[in-house]
C-alpha cells in the first residue's frame, strides 16, 4: 500500500458510479441496510429483555461476550473461506442463520421459556453468523465499483447503513411495547430479505483459486498486516478506542436507572450515534476527505473519547443524546479512513483474510467492549466505568500517534494502492 506524499492539492471529485454497475451496487446497499436494520432492532430487544430478566449490569456485558467468543474462534477460518469460496453465498448463508436465531427468540418469547442462558446461547449463534458475514460483505464494494468511485460509494453505503441504524433502535423500542415476539419476527424477515439481496449480486471477482488449507494460508492476513504498519495501526487504534470508550452496553442501564426513562428513550439513545454518523456520511459523500487523512483519523478518535466522557457524566437526556451524536460523527470518519486502507490497500486474493482480521479487531471489539463495560460498571459503577473508558481512549490516541508514524503521515485516500505480495502473503514494497 502506498499513499500520496504530503502536498497541497485540490480535492478531486470522484466520478459517478457507472450505470452498468448500479444494479449490483443497489443490491449491495439493500443487503447491507436490511441486515443492519435487523441487527439494531434485535440488539434493543435482547438488551431490554435480558435486563428485565436479571436487573444486573453484568448480564448486559455477558451478551457481548456471548457474541465475541464465536467471532474469536472462527474468524481466521471464515477469512480463509471468503478468499477461496463464493463470497456472496457465504454472506447470504450467514444472514439466513441470523434469521433462524431471530425466529427462535420469537418462539421462546411467545412460549415463555427464554431464560438468560437460552438468550446467551442464541446470541452466540448470531456471533457465528457474523464471523462469516462480516469478512464476506466487506469484500463486496471493491468488486462493485472502481477505485476512483470508491470514496464516494463508501460514503453512500455508510449513509444508508447509518439510516438503518437510526430507524432500527427507535423502531425496535416502539415495537417492543407490542411485545418481544413482534420485534424478533420483523428481524427474522429482515435477515431473509437481506440474504435474497446478497444472492442477486454480480461481483467482478468472486470464486477464489483453491489451494491446500495450511496454517500459513489461514493466518495469511496477519502476515500481510505485519508488513503494512499503516493498516495495522488503523484497525488496532479502533480496537482499543471501542474497547475502552464504547458505552453502548450501558444504554439500557442509563435509560432506566440514570435518565429514568423507558424503551422509547433507549431507542433514542441507541439511534443518536447513527444520527451523527449519518450527517457526517452525507457530508463526506459530497466532500470526500482530502489531505492529511491520518491526522484527521487521530483527531476524530480523540473527539470520540471526549464525547464519551461527557456522555458518562450527563444526567440529561438531551445532553446524552447530543454527546452520542457527536461520538457517532467522529467515529464514522475513523471508520471510513480505516475502510479505505483495508479494502484499497489489500490485494483481492488477500481481502477476505485481512477483512477477517479487521473484523476481529473492530467488529468483536464492540462485543468485548460491552463485556468490559458491564464488568467494570458492576465493580466501580456505570458512570465511573464510562468516564474511565473515555480517558483511556485519549491515552491510546496519543500512544498510537507515536507508535505508528506511517498512519500519522497518511495523506490522500484516493491514491491508496495495493502492493504485490510474496508467496507467504507479505507485501513487496517497491524499491
Amino acid at each position: 500500500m502506498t499513499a500520496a506524499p504530503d502536498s497541497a492539492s485540490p480535492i478531486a471529485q470522484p466520478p459517478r458510479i457507472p450505470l452498468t454497475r448500479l444494479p449490483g451496487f443497489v443490491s449491495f446497499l439493500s443487503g447491507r441496510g436490511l441486515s443492519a436494520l435487523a441487527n439494531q432492532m434485535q440488539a434493543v430487544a435482547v438488551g431490554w429483555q435480558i435486563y428485565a430478566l436479571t436487573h444486573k449490569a453484568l448480564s448486559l456485558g455477558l451478551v457481548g461476550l456471548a457474541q465475541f467468543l464465536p467471532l474469536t474462534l472462527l474468524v481466521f477460518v471464515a477469512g480463509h473461506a471468503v478468499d477461496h469460496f463464493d463470497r456472496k453465498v457465504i454472506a447470504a448463508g450467514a444472514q439466513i442463520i441470523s434469521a433462524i436465531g431471530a425466529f427462535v427468540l420469537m418462539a421462546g418469547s411467545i412460549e415463555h421459556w427464554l431464560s438468560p442462558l437460552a438468550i446467551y446461547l442464541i446470541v452466540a449463534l448470531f456471533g457465528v453468523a457474523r464471523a462469516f458475514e462480516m469478512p464476506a460483505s466487506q469484500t463486496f464494494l471493491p468488486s462493485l465499483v472502481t477505485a476512483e468511485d470508491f470514496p464516494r460509494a463508501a460514503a453512500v453505503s455508510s449513509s444508508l447503513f447509518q439510516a438503518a441504524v437510526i430507524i432500527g433502535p427507535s423502531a425496535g423500542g416502539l415495537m417492543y411495547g407490542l411485545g418481544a415476539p413482534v420485534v424478533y419476527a420483523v428481524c427474522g424477515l429482515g435477515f431473509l430479505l437481506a440474504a435474497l439481496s446478497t444472492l442477486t449480486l454480480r461481483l467482478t471477482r468472486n470464486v477464489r483459486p483453491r489451494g491446500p488449507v495450511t496454517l500459513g494460508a489461514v493466518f495469511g492476513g496477519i502476515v500481510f498486516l505485519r508488513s503494512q504498519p499503516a493498516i495495522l495501526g488503523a484497525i488496532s487504534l479502533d480496537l482499543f478506542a471501542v474497547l475502552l470508550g464504547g458505552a453502548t452496553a450501558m444504554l439500557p442501564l442509563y435509560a432506566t436507572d440514570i435518565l429514568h426513562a423507558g424503551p422509547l428513550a433507549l431507542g433514542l439513545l441507541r439511534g443518536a450515534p447513527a444520527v451523527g454518523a449519518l450527517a457526517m456520511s452525507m457530508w463526506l459523500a459530497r466532500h470526500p476527505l482530502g489531505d492529511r487523512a491520518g491526522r484527521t483519523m487521530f483527531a476524530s478518535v480523540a473527539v470520540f473519547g471526549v464525547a464519551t466522557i461527557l456522555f458518562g457524566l450527563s444526567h440529561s437526556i438531551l445532553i446524552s443524546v447530543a454527546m452520542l451524536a457527536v461520538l457517532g460523527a467522529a467515529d464514522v470518519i475513523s471508520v471510513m479512513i480505516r475502510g479505505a486502507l483495508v479494502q484499497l490497500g489489500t490485494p483481492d486474493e488477500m481481502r477476505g483474510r485481512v477483512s477477517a482480521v479487521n473484523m476481529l479487531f473492530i467488529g468483536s471489539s464492540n462485543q468485548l467492549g460491552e463485556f468490559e463495560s458491564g464488568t467494570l460498571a458492576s465493580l466501580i459503577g456505570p458512570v465511573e466505568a464510562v468516564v474511565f473508558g473515555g480517558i483511556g481512549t485519549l491515552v491510546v490516541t496519543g500512544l498510537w500517534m507515536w507508535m505508528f508514524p506511517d498512519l500519522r503521515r497518511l495523506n490522500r485516500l484516493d491514491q491508496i494502492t495495493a502492493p504485490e505480495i510474496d508467496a507467504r502473503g507479505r507485501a513487496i514494497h517497491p524499491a
Side-chain angles (χ1 to χ4, degrees):
M1 183 216 37
T2 60
D6 291 324
S7 62
S9 59
I11 301 176
Q13 296 294 325
R16 296 181 183 275
I17 299 168
L19 291 179
T20 55
R21 300 188 182 189
L22 188 58
F25 185 60
V26 171
S27 295
F28 166 75
L29 294 178
S30 299
R32 176 175 167 83
L34 287 167
S35 181
L37 184 66
N39 269 309
Q40 292 299 317
M41 292 174 61
Q42 174 187 280
V44 171
V46 168
W48 196 267
Q49 192 170 33
I50 197 71
Y51 192 67
L53 288 172
T54 65
H55 296 284
K56 294 180 181 179
L58 181 60
S59 64
L60 298 172
L62 290 176
V63 170
L65 182 63
Q67 293 185 70
F68 170 73
L69 291 178
L71 285 172
T72 304
L73 295 174
L74 297 173
V75 60
F76 296 108
V77 174
H80 186 270
V82 168
D83 277 339
H84 292 82
F85 296 94
D86 192 320
R87 292 170 172 175
K88 67 180 183 181
V89 170
I90 291 174
Q95 290 160 349
I96 291 172
I97 291 174
S98 294
I100 293 172
F103 289 134
V104 172
L105 285 172
M106 178 191 71
S109 299
I110 293 173
E111 299 296 331
H112 303 289
W113 54 258
L114 273 184
S115 64
L117 178 59
I119 292 176
Y120 297 143
L121 292 175
I122 297 170
V123 167
L125 179 67
F126 290 123
V128 172
R130 284 173 61 82
F132 287 86
E133 180 186 1
M134 289 176 64
S137 62
Q138 287 176 8
T139 67
F140 291 160
L141 195 54
S143 296
L144 293 170
V145 301
T146 64
E148 292 80 9
D149 295 330
F150 186 87
R152 192 179 299 275
V156 171
S157 172
S158 179
S159 297
L160 185 62
F161 173 79
Q162 298 302 336
V165 173
I166 292 170
I167 297 170
S170 300
L174 287 171
M175 282 189 288
Y176 195 87
L178 301 175
V182 176
V183 185
Y184 295 133
V186 174
C187 290
L189 180 61
F191 283 124
L192 289 179
L193 292 175
L196 181 61
S197 294
T198 300
L199 288 173
T200 63
L201 287 173
R202 294 182 178 180
L203 305 177
T204 58
R205 295 179 293 274
N206 197 2
V207 179
R208 308 294 92 196
R210 301 177 190 176
V213 179
T214 64
L215 286 178
V218 172
F219 291 96
I222 293 179
V223 174
F224 175 80
L225 286 173
R226 289 180 62 186
S227 66
Q228 295 291 280
I231 302 179
L232 179 60
I235 64 176
S236 59
L237 173 63
D238 196 274
L239 164 69
F240 285 101
V242 174
L243 178 62
L244 294 171
T248 55
M250 295 296 101
L251 292 184
L253 187 151
Y254 261 77
T256 302
D257 298 342
I258 295 178
L259 299 174
H260 306 291
L264 179 57
L266 175 60
L268 293 174
L269 290 172
R270 280 196 175 274
V275 171
L278 175 60
M280 182 58 68
S281 297
M282 293 175 66
W283 171 266
L284 292 174
R286 294 180 59 87
H287 307 281
L289 290 172
D291 300 331
R292 300 183 179 179
R295 293 180 183 274
T296 300
M297 180 176 186
F298 283 115
S300 69
V301 176
V303 171
F304 180 95
V306 172
T308 298
I309 294 171
L310 295 177
F311 167 78
L313 296 173
S314 170
H315 286 76
S316 164
I317 184 69
L318 293 178
I319 294 176
S320 297
V321 169
M323 288 303 100
L324 289 172
V326 171
L327 181 152
D331 184 54
V332 80
I333 297 174
S334 167
V335 167
M336 294 187 69
I337 294 173
R338 185 187 72 244
L341 277 166
V342 171
Q343 296 187 52
L344 296 180
T346 303
D348 183 64
E349 61 268 29
M350 292 290 301
R351 198 167 281 142
R353 282 165 285 180
V354 173
S355 294
V357 178
N358 180 44
M359 180 195 70
L360 177 64
F361 275 60
I362 309 307
S364 63
S365 67
N366 294 308
Q367 283 75 51
L368 190 58
E370 290 177 3
F371 176 68
E372 180 270 338
S373 297
T375 303
L376 192 61
S378 67
L379 296 175
I380 66 175
V383 173
E384 292 81 359
V386 173
V387 172
F388 176 83
I391 294 172
T393 300
L394 295 176
V395 172
V396 167
T397 301
L399 286 175
W400 258 238
M401 289 185 70
W402 171 67
M403 293 171 57
F404 295 94
D406 285 353
L407 178 58
R408 188 179 69 246
R409 291 191 292 264
L410 177 68
N411 197 37
R412 295 184 60 85
L413 299 180
D414 55 9
Q415 296 185 16
I416 295 173
T417 58
E420 295 183 1
I421 55 175
D422 61 19
R424 292 179 143 185
R426 294 174 301 188
I428 302 174
H429 297 278

